Amino acid sequence: MSNPAILCIDDEGVILLSLRDQLDRILDGKYTIELAETGEEALTLFEELIADQIDVPLVICDQFMPGMNGDQVLAQIHTQSPETLTILLTGQADFKGVVNAINMANLYRFLAKPWSEADLGLTVREALRRHNQDRQIAAHNQELQQLNGSLAETVAEQTAELTAKNQDLSKAKDKAEAANRAKAIFLASMSHELRTPLTAILGFSELLQTTGQVGEEEQEYISIVHRSGQHLLKMINSILEASKLEAGALRLNEAPFDLKGLLADLRKIVEVKRVEKSIELVIAFGETVPQYIITDEIKLRRVLLNLLDNAIKFTDSGQVWLRVSRQDPVEARTSLGLHQISDSTTVEGISDNLAFEHGQPCTLYFEVEDTGHGIPPENITGLFQPFDKVETCNHIHEGIGLGLTISQRLVNLLGGQMTVQSEVGKGSTFSFDVQSYC
């Protein structure tokens, strides 16, 4: 059986030969590297490979070429083979070409010329890994569909023979199976839908960073966008987390980290949304709150970011507060010993030589308060239920209705409890505690 092929397209032969040599080294000769100098030649070669039943998982194409530009070539290839991933190369910033490639060719990644072999290697390996993973998922989904079909037929045959005593059990089983199928469809759909905007966010932010035509202040904004996009990549697993939490399969990954650095980082992530709504954001911590703690940083970040996003989203004017203390939140709210995280607070990397390995057990209290719309009492009961969207006074906000459910369960996993107090027209306060080592 022939090796799978990677198609490389560039009107400069020297670049093509260099690209082939680098890919041979990166992939240890496990893929056949096919070369084409024009878009027309590439399309003909691609059709021949498909006709010969040779897998083409990846196409790497230059943007500016005689005849057909790269985005046009990739769009036609995507039409013929949607599962083939595409990478666009260009030596210049070309917003229109990148936009066309994203919209028409489901562009996987943009690489600026000249590229480094290390960056090329990371990009290509990840693209091939994703291609193989998508194929496995498709195969597993097909198997599941066949199994579900067979199971449905078996259940239908047996249902006719069941006695009245077993009918209740049969109905319960059908409901469980329907819920599992709905969950599987939802997970697959959300994974795909989140990848598309994420590709655009990361692609444009990287493109803007390479133009050299923006000032230092704009570069900082672009860095925030890119950092937020990378954070979104981590969020793709949110739905899987909800499923794992439901099954009790999610575990804590406790390690030392800089708590105050985390608070400063959160401020930067939500800064754009806060400025757009002209809301004052105050992030403060008590005098006894340590610099470093031991708990699961990723899960704590998820909870705090979700609560801050909600607070800003549901607040049209006024303030949002995030307070951290080692005492009761009500006492901390009026404490004069709180220190604020400002816009100028820098995030320092955690030291490899912390003064503790395990620390002493301690409880930290977190509180997110806003002056927003408030939540009607009748809506608070179902606030933490799955797929129940947050509804404030005369406002139903977009979302899939899992944020608060996941947050509450993550807090439980961190050893704490989450509570909410709200008054219509005055705002809401979400409070929770975390068991950690300080």
Side-chain angles (χ1 to χ4, degrees):
M1 186 175 181
S2 301
N3 287 340
I6 296 177
L7 178 57
C8 300
I9 312 163
D10 199 300
D11 58 330
E12 297 186 37
V14 174
I15 291 180
L16 275 179
L17 294 175
S18 174
L19 188 56
R20 181 179 63 185
D21 292 341
Q22 291 183 30
L23 289 175
D24 279 334
R25 286 194 297 271
I26 292 168
L27 302 174
D28 297 326
K30 295 179 181 178
Y31 290 78
T32 301
I33 311 302
E34 299 286 353
L35 307 179
E37 295 188 359
T38 66
E40 293 80 2
E41 179 186 350
L43 292 175
T44 300
L45 179 56
F46 186 80
E47 290 175 356
E48 292 174 353
L49 292 170
I50 298 300
D52 292 337
Q53 296 184 340
I54 296 176
D55 183 28
V56 185
L58 181 64
V59 175
I60 303 175
C61 184
D62 185 26
Q63 168 61 3
F64 296 108
M65 299 186 298
M68 298 177 66
N69 278 337
D71 58 292
Q72 298 172 317
V73 177
L74 297 182
Q76 291 197 32
I77 288 176
H78 178 67
T79 301
Q80 298 179 53
S81 178
E83 68 274 9
T84 297
L85 298 181
T86 57
I87 295 176
L88 190 67
L89 302 174
T90 182
Q92 307 178 42
D94 179 26
F95 289 95
K96 183 178 180 181
V98 173
V99 170
N100 288 339
I102 291 174
N103 292 335
M104 305 301 295
N106 194 24
L107 184 68
Y108 173 73
R109 186 72 186 273
F110 159 83
L111 282 179
K113 290 182 178 180
W115 63 84
S116 70
E117 185 169 336
D119 191 22
L120 177 67
L122 289 172
T123 301
V124 169
R125 289 193 189 98
E126 179 60 23
L128 294 174
R129 185 199 65 78
R130 173 179 157 183
H131 176 80
N132 293 332
Q133 184 182 62
D134 287 347
R135 278 197 158 187
Q136 292 174 2
I137 291 174
H140 290 160
N141 285 340
Q142 186 175 4
E143 292 177 4
L144 285 174
Q145 289 176 357
Q146 294 174 351
L147 289 173
N148 285 337
S150 300
L151 181 59
E153 292 176 0
T154 302
V155 170
E157 292 173 359
Q158 292 181 348
T159 301
E161 302 173 359
L162 289 176
T163 63
K165 184 177 179 180
N166 293 329
Q167 285 182 352
D168 291 340
L169 179 61
S170 176
K171 291 179 181 179
K173 181 179 180 181
D174 290 342
K175 288 181 180 180
E177 289 173 351
N180 286 334
R181 286 195 297 271
K183 183 185 293 184
I185 294 171
F186 178 75
L187 292 177
S189 174
M190 284 302 300
S191 177
H192 173 75
E193 292 299 327
L194 287 172
R195 283 177 183 162
T196 301
L198 179 58
T199 298
I201 291 171
L202 293 176
F204 276 116
S205 61
E206 291 175 1
L207 188 63
L208 289 170
Q209 287 176 323
T210 60
T211 60
Q213 298 179 0
V214 295
E216 292 183 1
E217 185 175 358
E218 288 78 9
Q219 281 285 359
E220 176 62 18
Y221 295 153
I222 295 169
S223 297
I224 293 174
V225 171
H226 191 265
R227 190 161 58 246
S228 298
Q230 290 175 321
H231 182 69
L232 178 59
L233 183 60
K234 299 177 184 177
M235 301 288 285
I236 291 178
N237 292 322
S238 294
I239 310 303
L240 294 176
E241 272 191 357
S243 180
K244 290 180 179 178
L245 283 166
E246 185 74 24
L250 203 60
R251 297 290 181 265
L252 284 178
N253 183 21
E254 296 181 323
F257 68 93
D258 186 345
L259 175 60
K260 296 172 185 177
L262 169 62
L263 298 177
D265 198 29
L266 288 172
R267 183 180 185 89
K268 292 181 179 179
I269 291 175
V270 302
E271 182 68 8
V272 173
K273 295 179 182 179
R274 180 196 71 80
V275 172
E276 286 177 351
K277 301 191 73 173
S278 299
I279 296 170
E280 180 184 359
L281 173 62
V282 179
I283 299 181
F285 55 90
E287 291 182 342
T288 59
V289 172
Q291 178 84 13
Y292 299 106
I293 66 171
I294 298 178
T295 188
D296 193 318
E297 178 184 7
I298 294 177
K299 293 178 179 58
L300 179 59
R301 177 190 290 266
R302 280 287 314 278
V303 175
L304 290 173
L305 185 58
N306 182 60
L307 294 180
L308 283 174
D309 278 341
N310 282 346
I312 294 173
K313 184 190 304 181
F314 300 153
T315 302
D316 294 330
S317 63
Q319 297 85 31
V320 170
W321 294 271
L322 166 58
R323 304 183 187 91
V324 187
S325 66
R326 292 183 68 176
Q327 60 189 112
D328 181 84
V330 176
E331 297 177 13
R333 202 176 306 163
T334 57
S335 173
L336 299 178
L338 289 176
H339 302 276
Q340 293 190 19
I341 297 289
S342 66
D343 293 334
S344 60
T345 303
T346 58
V347 182
E348 299 179 355
I350 189 168
S351 170
D352 291 331
N353 298 310
L354 293 178
F356 63 95
E357 292 183 358
H358 302 292
Q360 298 296 323
C362 66
T363 301
L364 293 176
Y365 296 92
F366 297 83
E367 185 177 68
V368 177
E369 181 183 0
D370 63 65
T371 57
H373 309 140
I375 306 169
E378 63 271 19
N379 294 332
I380 291 182
T381 303
L383 202 59
F384 298 105
Q385 296 302 314
F387 307 107
D388 225 353
K389 295 183 180 180
V390 175
E391 181 176 351
T392 62
C393 185
N394 299 323
H395 293 78
I396 300 177
H397 291 266
E398 61 182 9
I400 60 174
L402 277 177
L404 287 177
T405 302
I406 293 176
S407 295
Q408 183 197 47
R409 294 180 182 178
L410 289 177
V411 167
N412 295 156
L413 194 62
L414 292 167
Q417 297 290 331
M418 179 178 291
T419 60
V420 57
Q421 294 180 334
S422 186
E423 186 174 350
V424 173
K426 292 188 177 181
S428 304
T429 301
F430 287 81
S431 306
F432 66 93
D433 59 297
V434 167
Q435 305 303 315
S436 63
Y437 294 92
C438 302

